[in-house]
Amino acid sequence: MAQTSSKPAQGDRALNAITLEVIGSAFASIVEEMGETLVRSSYSTNIKERRDCSTALFDVAGNTLCQAEHVPMHLGSFIGFVPLILRKHGAGSLKPGDVFIGNDAYEGGGTHLPDIVLAEPIFHAGRLTAWAINTAHHSDFVDRGHAHIYQEGLRIPPIRLYRAGELQQDIQDLFLLNCQVPRERLSDLRAQMAANRLGVRRMIELCDKYGMDVVEAAGRELQDYAERRMRAGIRSIPDGIYTFADRFDCEAFDQQWDFSVRITVRGDEMELHLDSPPQSRSPMNVVHTALLATVYYAVKSVVDPTIPPNAGLARPITVFAEKGTVLNCVHPAAVDGRLTCCQRVVDLIHGALAAAVPERVTAASNGSCFDITFSGQRADGSFWVYLETIGGGNGARFDKDGLDGVHVHMTNTSNLPVEALEGEYPITLLAYELIDGSGGAGEFRGGMGIRRVYRAEKDCRVHYGGSRMQSRPWGLDGGLPGASGGFRLSEGMGPFVRGVGVARAGDVIEVFTPGAGGYGEPSRRSPEAIARDFLEGNFLEESRSVFVKREGVA
């Protein structure tokens, strides 16, 4: 998100409030239609079922015009991509029908290698006017090391996959040769192409209707409007310095890391300073664009969730994190697991701002991205990959219980339906349920985590990972913490090293994700809600005694 202020252009004079609202709604409609096209045209379960993808429109300078309400993390794959194209290739070299592909976290504008980005310049009357862009998580680069970026998959800088509408077959062949499931990759790439081409067509239609100058002026004014809204929201937070610290654990290392944030609110601006350990020889490192996407989401969700999702909202926000640390890593750090760390960054920001605006913040949600990947070969020799990220508890709110079994914050994908899983992969799901008692007690309880139990029907490789296995999601205002998560292997399995091992036919793996924290003293919970909790089993044992003593329930 470039943070340069805009100035009125000649076309601005033709723009009135009603036209601005219509064009802004058109931007939102276009990116949502692009997203549905991508999901419905894709081949892999990770995109067509789990919706692990995002779409957006950018202006000619690489500023976000609108992002679809899909996966907040994917903004990190967008905000550096178009500016990098313009720096490396120059606007003068662009032609209608050019399509750029990229994924690299250091030279490609991405945040981790499985998220493949496609961007297409949009021309109207021969002039560059905008960009259509999307990303999709290609579940392919599996069974890899994560000591550094070179082990994690094929690194692609922004290069032309299509040149003036002509497929660059050698580029596509090179990409597919490095993929383990090339048939899926090709089909998903075509779905991404279809989504962008729809976005191009819709933007051209919009320019035909209102005029290119008016549409471009609307884009500038919408960014200015988002900036004004963000500044107004920050002004509603009392000036001050707010801090919070939390601990981070995962399967990639034995120790726990200390993360902390210091937020300074001064008038209509906010500064965030994030501290973390030196970057690690593990996949749990975060590049700067991924950190920015996380901060923008976390701040927007507290300040004003209704602010238009464009580059203007970032202008009043400044983010500091020392280079070479986990939360602002430099080449060649591995980054595949960056999302789990980013989930914890949201916890930090919300935890800090709870001291200023407690009614706008939830207790800690599950604070992780629990994932499991199975891969193997079919009888015909073809390779298969099944990736799942699994939701958990959503933090209790100021006046409501938390949601059960959902993806939170930076993920926002779906769980894979049992029918789709068992129909495509040699895996049987033995259990899929909410975990009774995993939500923290409080006046309003935290959401419950999820338990999924898998049985391998054929030998395969497995990788699993997550966080909040040693710590617990914290509560607010006297609310109790939610339960931790973890993994269990059936007897005789292993050894698993850093979450990686082999499952033989008949082996069982259980995943149980964290719950979420409660909000408010448990003693303030209403009798009606307590009765429902006992009926549904929504207690941790440690909190059950609080209610038994209060209500005299056996």
Side-chain angles (χ1 to χ4, degrees), residues 15-30 206 209-210 218 222:
L15 190 64
N16 56 52
I18 294 175
T19 303
L20 179 65
E21 180 68 21
V22 170
I23 293 176
S25 296
F27 289 163
S29 176
I30 290 169
L206 195 64
K209 183 174 183 178
Y210 292 100
L222 288 166

Side-chain angles (χ1 to χ4, degrees), residues 362-440:
T362 68
S365 295
N366 63 77
S368 183
C369 177
F370 265 59
D371 68 273
I372 189 164
T373 304
F374 298 82
S375 60
Q377 284 188 302
R378 296 186 175 88
D380 63 1
S382 62
F383 200 72
W384 60 272
V385 178
Y386 158 55
L387 164 71
E388 173 105 57
T389 61
I390 307 167
N394 173 249
R397 292 156 284 181
F398 181 72
D399 57 356
K400 292 181 181 178
D401 290 346
L403 301 175
D404 300 321
V406 294
H407 281 267
V408 300
H409 299 320
M410 304 306 294
T411 54
N412 199 36
T413 53
S414 300
N415 293 327
L416 187 64
V418 176
E419 297 82 0
L421 166 60
E422 296 183 349
E424 296 205 27
Y425 306 108
I427 298 170
T428 299
L429 200 63
L430 302 179
Y432 180 22
E433 59 192 4
L434 297 173
I435 304 172
D436 287 348
S438 56

Side-chain angles (χ1 to χ4, degrees), residues 246-434:
D246 207 342
R247 307 207 79 190
F248 179 84
D249 65 87
C250 75
E251 81 295 337
F253 44 81
D254 296 324
Q255 76 277 24
Q256 294 189 59
W257 287 340
D258 292 315
F259 288 169
S260 64
V261 67
R262 185 176 77 256
I263 301 176
T264 302
V265 177
R266 189 182 299 111
D268 62 0
E269 296 188 346
M270 183 181 292
E271 292 182 1
L272 300 95
H273 295 250
L274 291 124
D275 290 318
S276 60
Q279 64 188 49
S280 169
R281 195 175 170 85
S282 80
M284 299 296 167
N285 301 291
V286 180
V287 294
H288 190 56
T289 54
L291 178 62
L292 292 180
T294 305
V295 170
Y296 297 155
Y297 160 80
V299 173
K300 178 179 184 287
S301 65
V302 174
V303 170
D304 184 351
T306 67
I307 295 173
N310 65 48
L313 67 85
R315 295 173 186 163
I317 302 170
T318 306
V319 182
F320 297 96
E322 185 177 350
K323 287 186 177 181
T325 59
V326 169
L327 295 181
N328 188 12
C329 67
V330 296
H331 181 271
V335 295
D336 192 63
R338 87 282 188 237
L339 185 56
T340 295
C341 282
C342 291
Q343 293 281 69
R344 192 58 47 83
V345 170
V346 178
D347 284 350
L348 292 174
I349 295 171
H350 286 181
L353 292 177
V357 283
E359 72 284 356
R360 302 188 198 175
V361 178
T362 68
S365 295
N366 63 77
S368 183
C369 177
F370 265 59
D371 68 273
I372 189 164
T373 304
F374 298 82
S375 60
Q377 284 188 302
R378 296 186 175 88
D380 63 1
S382 62
F383 200 72
W384 60 272
V385 178
Y386 158 55
L387 164 71
E388 173 105 57
T389 61
I390 307 167
N394 173 249
R397 292 156 284 181
F398 181 72
D399 57 356
K400 292 181 181 178
D401 290 346
L403 301 175
D404 300 321
V406 294
H407 281 267
V408 300
H409 299 320
M410 304 306 294
T411 54
N412 199 36
T413 53
S414 300
N415 293 327
L416 187 64
V418 176
E419 297 82 0
L421 166 60
E422 296 183 349
E424 296 205 27
Y425 306 108
I427 298 170
T428 299
L429 200 63
L430 302 179
Y432 180 22
E433 59 192 4
L434 297 173

Side-chain angles (χ1 to χ4, degrees), residues 442-443 476-478 519-527 530 547 550:
E443 181 179 8
L476 278 178
D477 190 30
Y519 202 122
E521 292 286 349
S523 59
R524 299 202 299 261
R525 190 158 178 81
S526 71
I530 292 172
F547 299 110
R550 173 187 151 187

